Amino acid sequence: MPDNKRIYLDHAATTPTRPEVVKAMRPYFTTAFGNPSSFHSDGRDASEAIESARGTVARHLGARPQEIVFTSGGTEADNYAIEGTAYAWAEHGNHIVTTRIEHEAVLETCQFLETQAFRVTELPVDSSGLVDPDDVRSAITDETVLVTVMHANNEVGTIQPISEIGAICRERGIPFHTDAVQTAGHMAVRVDDLNVDLLSLSAHKFYGPKGVGVLYIREGTKLTRFLHGGGQEMGRRASTENVPAIVGLATALDLAAGEMEGEIRRLTGLRDDLWRGIEQNNDHVFLNGHPTLRLPNNVNFCIEGVEGEATMLALDIEGISVSTGSACSSGSLGPSHVTLALGLSPELARSSIRFSLGLGTTEEDVRRVIETLPPIVARLRAVSPLNLR
Ligand SMILES: *Cc1c(COP(=O)(O)O)cnc(C)c1O
């Protein structure tokens, strides 16, 4: 965390790298710096570290090591899953099914493919952010080459019925991808339980380093090569591996798995306390997303009559870091595509704010946030044209 006295509630954006992870990474910058493709002992030490990390990731996902490809992050894994499948299957069809609430890394990749003669169906969600598996079933045509639906939404936290959607895709023989960047390291993510063929995750969302992620590719799933050059990553992704980051990712995933059950219980309690406190102490506030099928660390809500940006800036001055849904949507101040997809008016959508809790969040933090918010809401509403009190 940037400062001990600050309260960081933006873990959905990124998390601090754990000290144990930094420690595990350090030798691979200095003493064990070899190129994993080199045949001498220095190279072998590095390649052994990568293969051990690959084994760890595979074990946690219930996958085989050869199905794990390290990437430069969640964005690259999403791009690769979607473009790689679309191009590999181009002679069979040109249709992709996704949803309106995906991360930009998925939505913009699909939109790019629309300029390359692919056709994209963006499925709607209900008011709690859930995709209906029957909608997936009816959207699939003989031309469909890929279905991609995120595991949990990064803005409102809704968790999708991935396993059911995956079963529908499998019946039709269509590759199924899920962006599990918000769930990996936080909830059980097992590729066979989820019925997925492709799955993306990113280390910096679970207390690992930034700039490293994974694409899981089920054996037999057809994908084109993504980066051309050397033969790294079983020929799928050229470029010398980021050894320290890969070691950091595996270490972080291992640590997360060990404490997952306890953290889910602890965070769910804090999440519910936080929302209860906010709801009891402020009028005209509404939870966004599903009340129970949601990430254990996510509280996203509307403060009617108050711009989310204004709330975020006022909390920042009080030493509390939170986020609005629109913050990472290309720097625009427009309402987020996710809250609009839930059916909120543009005004309400612009009033949403996201608090995402994490390992360092305490009961004391939650209490301080509950106390700090009402005077801010009252002050901002006093100057709001909607004049709610
Ligand atoms: C953060 C995030 C990404 C992007 O991951 P990077 O590693 O930052 O590229 C993709 N999808 C979701 C759902 C995310 O939350």
Side-chain angles (χ1 to χ4, degrees), residues 12-13 73-76 78 103 105 150 152 154 179 181-182 202 204-205:
T75 299
E76 186 188 304
D78 286 343
H103 189 273
M150 73 199 313
N154 49 302
D179 174 334
V181 174
Q182 287 291 329
S202 173
H204 76 99
K205 302 290 174 79

Side-chain angles (χ1 to χ4, degrees), residues 282-346:
N282 303 274
D283 293 327
H284 303 286
V285 291
F286 308 98
L287 189 72
N288 290 320
H290 198 282
T292 53
L293 296 174
R294 76 186 293 129
L295 290 170
N297 73 334
N298 174 295
V299 177
N300 183 313
F301 58 104
C302 294
I303 308 177
E304 233 183 301
V306 178
E307 292 273 335
E309 294 290 322
T311 312
M312 189 267 284
L313 293 172
L315 284 168
D316 188 31
I317 291 167
E318 299 294 331
I320 300 167
S321 298
V322 302
S323 143
T324 64
S326 58
C328 66
S329 327
S330 61
S332 74
L333 288 183
S336 96
H337 66 283
V338 175
T339 40
L340 288 176
L342 302 189
L344 298 188
S345 67

